[in-house]
Amino acid sequence: MVPAGSGNGMIKSLLEPVGLPCSATSATISIIRGSTRSLDVATISQGTTKFFSVLMLAWGLVADIDIESEKFRWMGSARFDVYGLQRIICLRQYNGRILFVPAPGFESYGQPAICNVDKESYVGDKALGYQGPDTKLEDLDWREMKGPFVSVWLHNVPWGAENTLAAPDAKFSDGFLDLIVMKDCPKLALISLMTKLNDGTHVQSPYVSYLKVKAFVLEPGARIGDPDKEGIIDSDGEVLARGRRSYKCDQKALMSYNKLQISVDQGLATLYSPE
Protein backbone atom coordinates (compact mmCIF):
# COMPACT_ATOMS: atom_id res chain seq x y z
CA MET A 1 0.00 0.00 0.00
CA VAL A 2 1.39 3.37 -1.10
CA PRO A 3 0.06 6.79 0.05
CA ALA A 4 -1.72 8.39 -2.90
CA GLY A 5 -4.92 9.92 -1.54
CA SER A 6 -6.02 12.84 0.62
CA GLY A 7 -6.16 10.86 3.87
CA ASN A 8 -3.77 7.87 3.75
CA GLY A 9 -4.91 6.62 7.17
CA MET A 10 -4.04 2.96 6.61
CA ILE A 11 -0.44 3.52 5.49
CA LYS A 12 0.06 6.09 8.26
CA SER A 13 -1.10 3.48 10.78
CA LEU A 14 1.47 1.03 9.42
CA LEU A 15 4.46 3.39 9.24
CA GLU A 16 4.00 5.61 12.30
CA PRO A 17 4.67 2.91 14.99
CA VAL A 18 8.15 2.26 13.58
CA GLY A 19 9.01 5.94 13.14
CA LEU A 20 8.91 5.99 9.35
CA PRO A 21 7.53 8.98 7.45
CA CYS A 22 4.25 8.53 5.60
CA SER A 23 5.77 8.61 2.14
CA ALA A 24 5.77 6.57 -1.04
CA THR A 25 9.45 5.72 -0.46
CA SER A 26 8.84 4.26 3.01
CA ALA A 27 5.84 2.32 1.78
CA THR A 28 7.70 0.91 -1.23
CA ILE A 29 10.64 -0.22 0.90
CA SER A 30 8.21 -1.96 3.28
CA ILE A 31 6.64 -3.84 0.37
CA ILE A 32 10.05 -4.90 -0.96
CA ARG A 33 11.05 -6.26 2.47
CA GLY A 34 8.01 -8.51 2.31
CA SER A 35 6.93 -8.51 5.96
CA THR A 36 3.18 -8.90 6.48
CA ARG A 37 0.58 -8.53 9.21
CA SER A 38 -3.05 -9.51 9.61
CA LEU A 39 -5.90 -7.02 9.43
CA ASP A 40 -9.50 -7.26 10.59
CA VAL A 41 -12.20 -6.84 7.96
CA ALA A 42 -15.63 -5.39 8.76
CA THR A 43 -18.65 -6.60 6.81
CA ILE A 44 -21.32 -3.90 6.44
CA SER A 45 -24.67 -5.46 5.55
CA GLN A 46 -28.08 -4.19 4.53
CA GLY A 47 -30.27 -7.09 3.47
CA THR A 48 -28.26 -9.05 0.92
CA THR A 49 -26.09 -6.04 0.00
CA LYS A 50 -22.60 -6.10 1.52
CA PHE A 51 -19.60 -3.77 1.66
CA PHE A 52 -16.24 -4.88 3.07
CA SER A 53 -14.42 -2.18 5.03
CA VAL A 54 -10.85 -2.09 6.32
CA LEU A 55 -10.54 1.51 7.53
CA MET A 56 -13.58 3.28 8.95
CA LEU A 57 -17.29 4.06 8.87
CA ALA A 58 -18.67 7.49 9.69
CA TRP A 59 -22.05 9.16 10.08
CA GLY A 60 -22.69 12.73 11.13
CA LEU A 61 -19.96 15.36 11.38
CA VAL A 62 -17.02 13.23 10.20
CA ALA A 63 -18.91 11.83 7.21
CA ASP A 64 -20.19 15.26 6.23
CA ILE A 65 -16.66 16.68 6.33
CA ASP A 66 -15.14 13.73 4.48
CA ILE A 67 -17.62 13.67 1.61
CA GLU A 68 -18.82 17.27 1.29
CA SER A 69 -15.24 18.62 1.33
CA GLU A 70 -14.60 16.89 -2.00
CA LYS A 71 -15.44 20.22 -3.64
CA PHE A 72 -12.13 21.43 -2.14
CA ARG A 73 -10.07 18.40 -3.18
CA TRP A 74 -7.55 20.71 -4.87
CA MET A 75 -6.46 21.75 -1.35
CA GLY A 76 -5.20 18.27 -0.56
CA SER A 77 -5.57 17.17 3.08
CA ALA A 78 -6.12 20.82 4.13
CA ARG A 79 -9.66 20.51 2.78
CA PHE A 80 -10.66 18.57 5.90
CA ASP A 81 -9.56 21.41 8.21
CA VAL A 82 -11.13 24.18 6.14
CA TYR A 83 -14.46 22.49 5.64
CA GLY A 84 -14.40 21.04 9.15
CA LEU A 85 -14.39 24.55 10.62
CA GLN A 86 -17.31 25.50 8.39
CA ARG A 87 -19.29 22.46 9.51
CA ILE A 88 -18.64 23.20 13.21
CA ILE A 89 -19.82 26.80 12.83
CA CYS A 90 -23.00 25.52 11.17
CA LEU A 91 -23.21 22.42 13.34
CA ARG A 92 -25.65 19.64 12.51
CA GLN A 93 -27.10 17.02 14.82
CA TYR A 94 -28.93 13.88 13.76
CA ASN A 95 -31.65 11.75 15.27
CA GLY A 96 -31.05 8.03 15.32
CA ARG A 97 -29.94 5.06 17.36
CA ILE A 98 -26.84 2.91 17.54
CA LEU A 99 -26.64 -0.61 18.94
CA PHE A 100 -23.43 -2.45 19.70
CA VAL A 101 -21.89 -5.50 21.33
CA PRO A 102 -19.18 -4.11 23.63
CA ALA A 103 -15.78 -5.72 23.99
CA PRO A 104 -14.85 -7.03 27.46
CA GLY A 105 -14.30 -4.10 29.80
CA PHE A 106 -16.69 -1.76 27.95
CA GLU A 107 -20.00 -3.19 29.14
CA SER A 108 -20.89 -0.02 31.08
CA TYR A 109 -21.47 2.02 27.91
CA GLY A 110 -25.03 2.55 26.74
CA GLN A 111 -28.15 0.77 27.93
CA PRO A 112 -29.24 -2.89 27.55
CA ALA A 113 -31.14 -3.43 24.31
CA ILE A 114 -32.80 -6.04 22.17
CA CYS A 115 -31.47 -5.98 18.63
CA ASN A 116 -33.64 -7.32 15.83
CA VAL A 117 -30.88 -8.48 13.54
CA ASP A 118 -31.73 -8.58 9.84
CA LYS A 119 -32.04 -12.14 8.61
CA GLU A 120 -30.16 -12.24 5.36
CA SER A 121 -31.59 -14.12 2.41
CA TYR A 122 -30.28 -17.65 2.03
CA VAL A 123 -27.06 -17.84 0.05
CA GLY A 124 -26.88 -21.00 -2.01
CA ASP A 125 -23.91 -23.15 -2.92
CA LYS A 126 -23.43 -21.16 -6.14
CA ALA A 127 -22.57 -17.97 -4.26
CA LEU A 128 -19.05 -16.86 -5.08
CA GLY A 129 -16.53 -15.09 -2.88
CA TYR A 130 -16.42 -14.21 0.79
CA GLN A 131 -19.87 -13.62 2.31
CA GLY A 132 -18.84 -12.18 5.70
CA PRO A 133 -18.21 -13.74 9.14
CA ASP A 134 -20.43 -16.56 10.35
CA THR A 135 -21.54 -14.82 13.55
CA LYS A 136 -24.92 -15.34 15.21
CA LEU A 137 -25.55 -11.68 16.02
CA GLU A 138 -28.93 -12.34 17.59
CA ASP A 139 -27.28 -14.36 20.40
CA LEU A 140 -24.99 -11.54 21.53
CA ASP A 141 -25.49 -9.09 24.42
CA TRP A 142 -26.48 -5.81 22.80
CA ARG A 143 -26.49 -2.30 24.21
CA GLU A 144 -27.74 0.96 22.73
CA MET A 145 -27.29 4.73 22.62
CA LYS A 146 -30.00 7.06 21.33
CA GLY A 147 -29.56 10.42 19.61
CA PRO A 148 -29.32 13.16 18.86
CA PHE A 149 -25.74 12.64 17.65
CA VAL A 150 -23.09 15.04 16.41
CA SER A 151 -20.87 12.24 15.12
CA VAL A 152 -20.59 8.45 15.08
CA TRP A 153 -17.24 7.08 13.94
CA LEU A 154 -16.07 3.45 13.73
CA HIS A 155 -12.38 2.77 13.20
CA ASN A 156 -10.39 -0.35 12.38
CA VAL A 157 -6.90 1.21 12.62
CA PRO A 158 -5.49 4.13 14.66
CA TRP A 159 -5.09 6.81 12.00
CA GLY A 160 -7.93 8.16 9.88
CA ALA A 161 -5.63 10.46 7.92
CA GLU A 162 -1.99 11.52 8.07
CA ASN A 163 -2.80 14.13 10.73
CA THR A 164 -5.78 12.41 12.41
CA LEU A 165 -5.17 9.89 15.19
CA ALA A 166 -8.85 9.02 15.35
CA ALA A 167 -8.68 5.84 17.46
CA PRO A 168 -5.44 5.74 19.45
CA ASP A 169 -6.16 2.30 20.98
CA ALA A 170 -7.17 0.58 17.73
CA LYS A 171 -5.32 -2.61 16.78
CA PHE A 172 -4.93 -4.15 13.35
CA SER A 173 -6.14 -7.60 14.31
CA ASP A 174 -7.88 -7.65 17.70
CA GLY A 175 -11.31 -8.62 16.37
CA PHE A 176 -12.89 -5.32 17.46
CA LEU A 177 -13.75 -1.93 16.00
CA ASP A 178 -13.09 1.28 17.93
CA LEU A 179 -16.25 3.37 18.32
CA ILE A 180 -16.03 7.14 18.85
CA VAL A 181 -19.38 8.78 19.65
CA MET A 182 -20.09 12.46 20.17
CA LYS A 183 -23.49 13.72 21.25
CA ASP A 184 -24.04 17.14 22.83
CA CYS A 185 -20.94 19.31 22.50
CA PRO A 186 -20.61 23.13 22.55
CA LYS A 187 -19.07 24.56 19.41
CA LEU A 188 -16.02 26.02 21.18
CA ALA A 189 -15.34 22.69 22.86
CA LEU A 190 -15.75 20.96 19.51
CA ILE A 191 -13.20 23.24 17.86
CA SER A 192 -10.80 22.40 20.69
CA LEU A 193 -11.47 18.70 20.16
CA MET A 194 -10.69 18.96 16.47
CA THR A 195 -7.25 20.41 17.28
CA LYS A 196 -6.55 17.34 19.44
CA LEU A 197 -7.16 14.85 16.66
CA ASN A 198 -3.49 14.94 15.68
CA ASP A 199 -2.41 13.29 18.96
CA GLY A 200 -5.53 11.29 19.87
CA THR A 201 -6.29 13.15 23.10
CA HIS A 202 -9.78 14.03 21.84
CA VAL A 203 -10.98 10.66 23.16
CA GLN A 204 -10.31 11.86 26.73
CA SER A 205 -12.96 14.57 26.44
CA PRO A 206 -16.13 14.23 28.55
CA TYR A 207 -18.06 14.93 25.34
CA VAL A 208 -16.67 11.78 23.68
CA SER A 209 -17.54 8.13 24.33
CA TYR A 210 -14.71 5.85 23.22
CA LEU A 211 -15.05 2.07 23.34
CA LYS A 212 -14.42 -1.15 21.48
CA VAL A 213 -17.21 -3.19 19.90
CA LYS A 214 -17.55 -6.62 18.30
CA ALA A 215 -20.69 -5.85 16.30
CA PHE A 216 -22.61 -2.68 15.51
CA VAL A 217 -25.96 -1.54 14.12
CA LEU A 218 -26.66 1.97 12.84
CA GLU A 219 -30.21 3.31 12.57
CA PRO A 220 -29.68 6.78 11.04
CA GLY A 221 -32.28 9.53 11.25
CA ALA A 222 -32.98 13.05 10.04
CA ARG A 223 -31.31 16.29 11.05
CA ILE A 224 -32.44 17.98 14.23
CA GLY A 225 -34.47 21.06 13.35
CA ASP A 226 -34.74 20.11 9.69
CA PRO A 227 -36.53 16.74 9.43
CA ASP A 228 -36.71 16.89 5.63
CA LYS A 229 -32.93 16.55 5.45
CA GLU A 230 -30.92 13.45 6.26
CA GLY A 231 -27.22 12.65 6.32
CA ILE A 232 -24.48 10.66 4.64
CA ILE A 233 -23.01 7.30 5.62
CA ASP A 234 -19.38 7.02 4.59
CA SER A 235 -17.02 4.03 4.67
CA ASP A 236 -13.36 4.08 3.67
CA GLY A 237 -13.88 7.42 1.94
CA GLU A 238 -16.76 6.17 -0.21
CA VAL A 239 -20.44 7.04 0.15
CA LEU A 240 -22.47 4.04 1.29
CA ALA A 241 -25.78 5.90 1.59
CA ARG A 242 -27.20 9.37 0.92
CA GLY A 243 -30.27 10.53 2.79
CA ARG A 244 -32.96 12.91 1.58
CA ARG A 245 -31.66 16.31 0.51
CA SER A 246 -28.09 15.44 1.50
CA TYR A 247 -25.01 16.36 -0.54
CA LYS A 248 -25.41 15.03 -4.11
CA CYS A 249 -28.45 13.03 -2.99
CA ASP A 250 -29.43 12.52 -6.64
CA GLN A 251 -26.44 10.22 -7.14
CA LYS A 252 -27.01 6.50 -6.64
CA ALA A 253 -25.38 4.88 -3.61
CA LEU A 254 -24.73 1.22 -2.77
CA MET A 255 -27.16 1.20 0.18
CA SER A 256 -30.22 3.12 1.31
CA TYR A 257 -30.15 5.60 4.20
CA ASN A 258 -31.56 3.07 6.63
CA LYS A 259 -30.56 0.46 9.17
CA LEU A 260 -27.29 -1.34 8.52
CA GLN A 261 -25.28 -3.80 10.58
CA ILE A 262 -21.57 -4.45 10.92
CA SER A 263 -19.66 -7.50 12.08
CA VAL A 264 -15.91 -8.13 12.27
CA ASP A 265 -13.83 -10.99 10.93
CA GLN A 266 -10.56 -11.06 12.86
CA GLY A 267 -7.36 -11.09 10.84
CA LEU A 268 -9.04 -11.91 7.52
CA ALA A 269 -6.88 -9.65 5.35
CA THR A 270 -3.09 -9.43 5.00
CA LEU A 271 -1.04 -6.24 4.55
CA TYR A 272 2.58 -5.61 3.72
CA SER A 273 4.08 -4.08 6.86
CA PRO A 274 7.39 -2.50 7.88
CA GLU A 275 7.57 -4.85 10.86
Side-chain angles (χ1 to χ4, degrees):
M1 181 173 292
V2 176
S6 299
N8 302 315
M10 182 63 73
I11 189 61
K12 175 72 173 185
S13 297
L14 287 165
L15 297 174
E16 176 69 18
V18 295
L20 293 175
C22 186
S23 67
T25 299
S26 297
T28 302
I29 291 174
S30 297
I31 293 171
I32 293 172
R33 287 175 176 170
S35 297
T36 60
R37 71 185 309 163
S38 297
L39 177 71
D40 294 339
V41 175
T43 301
I44 305 171
S45 305
Q46 190 178 75
T48 57
T49 303
K50 295 183 175 67
F51 181 88
F52 301 105
S53 169
V54 295
L55 184 62
M56 54 78 81
L57 178 138
W59 170 59
L61 178 63
V62 173
D64 292 346
I65 293 172
D66 191 18
I67 301 304
E68 294 177 12
S69 67
E70 287 181 349
K71 65 189 78 171
F72 304 118
R73 184 172 286 275
W74 55 271
M75 292 184 177
S77 60
R79 69 184 171 101
F80 300 119
D81 298 325
V82 173
Y83 192 71
L85 181 59
Q86 180 178 335
R87 278 275 51 86
I88 291 172
I89 293 172
C90 302
L91 189 63
R92 302 166 181 166
Q93 287 184 294
Y94 293 90
N95 282 311
R97 181 172 75 137
I98 61 173
L99 300 102
F100 52 90
V101 178
F106 296 93
E107 295 88 351
S108 63
Y109 287 86
Q111 302 296 325
I114 296 175
C115 182
N116 296 318
V117 177
D118 292 338
K119 299 292 185 180
E120 298 176 4
S121 299
Y122 175 72
V123 179
D125 294 336
K126 294 183 179 180
L128 299 177
Y130 176 67
Q131 297 298 310
D134 184 17
T135 304
K136 294 183 178 180
L137 297 178
E138 64 271 18
D139 296 335
L140 302 176
D141 293 325
W142 290 87
R143 299 182 73 83
E144 69 175 6
M145 293 183 190
K146 296 181 179 180
F149 297 99
V150 170
S151 178
V152 174
W153 204 1
L154 275 171
H155 246 272
N156 194 32
V157 296
W159 292 84
E162 290 184 49
N163 60 351
T164 304
L165 183 54
D169 296 335
K171 309 297 181 187
F172 282 90
S173 184
D174 62 356
F176 301 107
L177 296 171
D178 283 37
L179 173 60
I180 308 105
V181 179
M182 192 181 307
K183 298 184 72 176
D184 295 324
C185 185
K187 293 181 182 180
L188 287 178
L190 187 51
I191 291 174
S192 177
L193 278 177
M194 298 298 280
T195 65
K196 296 177 180 178
L197 282 169
N198 62 344
D199 62 8
T201 55
H202 62 288
V203 300
Q204 300 171 12
S205 168
Y207 298 108
V208 175
S209 296
Y210 180 47
L211 61 151
K212 288 181 177 287
V213 301
K214 179 63 177 176
F216 181 83
V217 170
L218 172 63
E219 297 177 352
R223 291 187 201 172
I224 297 295
D226 200 347
D228 290 335
K229 293 184 178 180
E230 296 175 326
I232 295 169
I233 303 173
D234 162 32
S235 182
D236 295 4
E238 302 297 328
V239 176
L240 275 189
R242 301 179 191 270
R244 296 191 314 271
R245 298 180 63 189
S246 63
Y247 179 71
K248 292 187 177 181
C249 62
D250 57 319
Q251 295 186 4
K252 184 175 176 59
L254 179 66
M255 298 180 180
S256 63
Y257 188 77
N258 209 328
K259 177 181 177 180
L260 55 81
Q261 60 194 40
I262 304 173
S263 52
V264 185
D265 205 330
Q266 184 173 8
L268 178 68
T270 301
L271 292 174
Y272 283 109
S273 173
E275 61 175 1

